[in-house]
Amino acid sequence: MRGKKVQMKRKSRKQRRTENGILFGSIILCIVTLSAVTLCMVLVFHYRASQLEADEMRDEIALLRENYTQEEVDAMLAEEKENAALAASEETEDAMLSRMKELMLSGDGAVNMLRQFFPNEIVLVDNNQYYFFPIQDNLAKHAFLPENFVHTEDELIEYYDNGELISHMGIDVSRYQEEIDWPKVAASDVEYAFIRLGIRGYTEGEIKEDDTFEDNINGALDNGIDVGVYFFTQATSVEEAEEEAQFVLDAIEPYDVTYPVVLDVEAVNQDNARTKDLTKEERTEYCIAFCEMIRQAGYTPMIYGNLKSFMLLLDMEKLENYDKWFAYYDDQLYFPYNVRVWQYKDTGSIDGIDTDVDINISFGNFSGE
């Protein structure tokens, strides 16, 4: 009985192959003689091929039902479906492994590779531990399009919207940039500068003004460069956060600060760091205390940090009302949430500065001009 079935199937397939050959020949002839309807004929061929395949499948199922029970037929079909799914899964796995190998060989590294495979999560690594943070729907996202970021010949990044340049180029400086020739800086493309005002020590907790603060803020303003300031926090209480804010306000009172007043939130990894045991909730509370004092004084508060700062150290949901300055050194912005300033390079070269300097792109002009 099965031999007869196989013979019938072979005969049926041979007949269909003959029909397909005739149909294919007809199509070739039509292509040669009627080139204007080539596309239509190809579509007809594919439709007919699909129809024949469906007919063949129905015939095979009909033959199976003549010789097997319904339960046996269902089991065979289920097995066939499982095998097809397994084959598709293996193809997908092979493609993924091939892509992983490609990324690793290109030098992109494991983190960047994982970021490509988990586009709906923020991936970061800290102290050899990998973290995956689902992108939160309740947090405001930026609307920047990757294709609108333009890389200039000077290795700067600009952002355009409908062909219009809407970004602004700036730097941030501290005593590490040593003596700066501000007239030369002003003659470059620099529109604004964030000046480090001071720090709180991570062991003793003493507040200190940056050695070059006055020279830098006067030099920038005297040469027509807009300024903002930043303070490196190590506050361990609301009272200390407010003390830092008051220190900043007293220092900038004589100056025309039109760009944001920034709280620099970064982890200090030393075992004796006074902030090493702070919880996310505590750090967030201290940020809010600082920012609210700055806002009440009439300035624009802002929080500076990197992926670790915003994902591990702070509660983003509670900081939605404050502008963000995001540090991420790459050609592409890897952060889904709203940012007003992106620090994309820490090895920039600016005429008038003899050392490497951080380069920033801001979205919108804080000075209002």
Side-chain angles (χ1 to χ4, degrees):
M1 181 66 182
R2 290 186 179 178
K4 183 178 180 180
K5 179 180 70 173
V6 171
Q7 186 176 6
M8 288 175 61
K9 289 175 64 176
R10 287 177 178 173
K11 182 177 179 180
S12 176
R13 288 172 179 169
K14 182 176 180 181
Q15 181 178 356
R16 291 188 182 91
R17 285 197 297 266
T18 302
E19 292 175 358
N20 286 340
I22 295 172
L23 182 57
F24 183 78
S26 300
I27 291 172
I28 295 299
L29 180 61
C30 289
I31 291 172
V32 174
T33 58
L34 300 171
S35 58
V37 293
T38 299
L39 180 60
C40 293
M41 294 306 297
V42 171
L43 291 174
V44 169
F45 173 73
H46 283 297
Y47 172 75
R48 178 57 178 158
S50 299
Q51 200 173 40
L52 290 173
E53 185 177 346
D55 290 343
E56 183 175 345
M57 184 178 293
R58 281 194 293 270
D59 291 345
E60 289 180 354
I61 293 174
L63 287 172
L64 286 172
R65 284 173 174 165
E66 290 179 5
N67 297 279
Y68 299 95
T69 65
Q70 182 63 47
E71 289 76 10
E72 290 173 326
V73 171
D74 291 343
M76 291 178 185
L77 293 176
E79 183 180 0
E80 185 66 26
K81 183 178 180 180
E82 183 179 347
N83 290 338
L86 180 61
S89 175
E90 289 174 350
E91 289 179 6
T92 302
E93 183 178 351
D94 289 343
M96 181 175 291
L97 290 173
S98 176
R99 179 59 177 153
M100 289 172 63
K101 184 177 181 180
E102 178 185 338
L103 289 170
M104 296 300 289
L105 290 174
S106 69
D108 283 340
V111 177
N112 285 335
M113 176 187 69
L114 288 171
R115 287 171 180 168
Q116 291 201 28
F117 287 119
F118 294 89
N120 296 319
E121 298 182 71
I122 298 173
V123 182
L124 70 90
V125 59
D126 180 62
N127 291 329
N128 295 319
Q129 181 175 348
Y130 287 85
Y131 296 87
F132 296 79
F133 295 94
I135 296 175
Q136 296 179 242
D137 293 334
N138 60 328
L139 295 181
K141 316 296 188 301
H142 67 70
F144 305 132
L145 301 175
E147 60 268 24
N148 287 353
F149 285 100
V150 175
H151 298 264
T152 71
E153 294 180 355
D154 297 328
E155 298 183 348
L156 301 176
I157 296 179
E158 298 175 337
Y159 189 80
Y160 290 80
D161 187 15
N162 293 322
E164 179 184 357
L165 177 65
I166 66 167
S167 62
H168 301 269
M169 183 268 196
I171 58 176
D172 57 273
V173 296
S174 68
R175 67 182 182 88
Y176 296 109
Q177 275 64 54
E178 303 172 355
E179 187 175 354
I180 297 175
D181 187 333
W182 284 101
K184 286 186 177 180
V185 173
S188 68
D189 295 325
V190 174
E191 300 179 53
Y192 59 89
F194 284 105
I195 313 295
R196 189 172 81 164
L197 192 155
I199 65 171
R200 184 189 287 276
Y202 67 83
T203 55
E204 301 300 325
E206 181 183 357
I207 292 179
K208 296 180 180 180
E209 184 177 290
D210 187 286
D211 296 337
T212 59
F213 169 66
E214 289 190 6
D215 288 341
N216 283 336
I217 195 167
N218 283 315
L221 289 172
D222 289 347
N223 287 277
I225 297 174
D226 293 323
V227 299
V229 299
Y230 70 97
F231 183 90
F232 179 80
T233 181
Q234 284 291 287
T236 58
S237 68
V238 168
E239 291 72 24
E240 286 192 350
E242 292 176 342
E243 180 187 13
E244 292 175 354
Q246 191 60 57
F247 178 83
V248 170
L249 291 172
D250 291 342
I252 64 176
E253 197 275 332
Y255 302 105
D256 184 20
V257 176
T258 55
Y259 266 63
V261 174
V262 185
L263 188 65
D264 181 352
V265 181
E266 299 178 69
V268 176
N269 295 323
Q270 279 78 355
D271 290 338
N272 59 345
R274 64 202 311 269
T275 56
K276 69 181 181 68
D277 294 325
L278 289 182
T279 66
K280 178 182 287 191
E281 291 72 21
E282 288 171 331
R283 287 184 192 269
T284 302
E285 183 182 5
Y286 307 155
C287 278
I288 293 172
F290 178 96
C291 289
E292 283 306 304
M293 279 192 65
I294 299 300
R295 175 176 283 167
Q296 290 168 16
Y299 297 95
T300 301
M302 177 178 278
I303 300 169
Y304 170 93
N306 52 25
L307 276 175
K308 180 176 179 178
S309 304
F310 290 122
M311 295 293 99
L312 293 178
L313 303 184
L314 298 171
D315 185 343
M316 289 283 289
E317 290 188 57
K318 294 181 179 179
L319 300 175
E320 273 280 77
N321 294 329
Y322 307 109
D323 290 335
K324 312 298 188 306
W325 177 9
F326 181 60
Y328 184 75
Y329 307 130
D330 204 309
D331 292 338
Q332 298 294 327
L333 176 61
Y334 181 73
F335 199 63
Y337 305 120
N338 269 346
V339 297
R340 292 295 304 278
V341 183
W342 171 24
Q343 184 185 84
Y344 63 87
K345 179 183 289 189
D346 61 350
T347 56
S349 177
I350 297 294
D351 192 26
I353 302 178
D354 294 332
T355 66
D356 288 341
V357 63
D358 298 332
I359 306 293
N360 300 277
I361 180 174
S362 68
F363 309 96
N365 189 342
F366 291 96
S367 67
E369 298 178 359

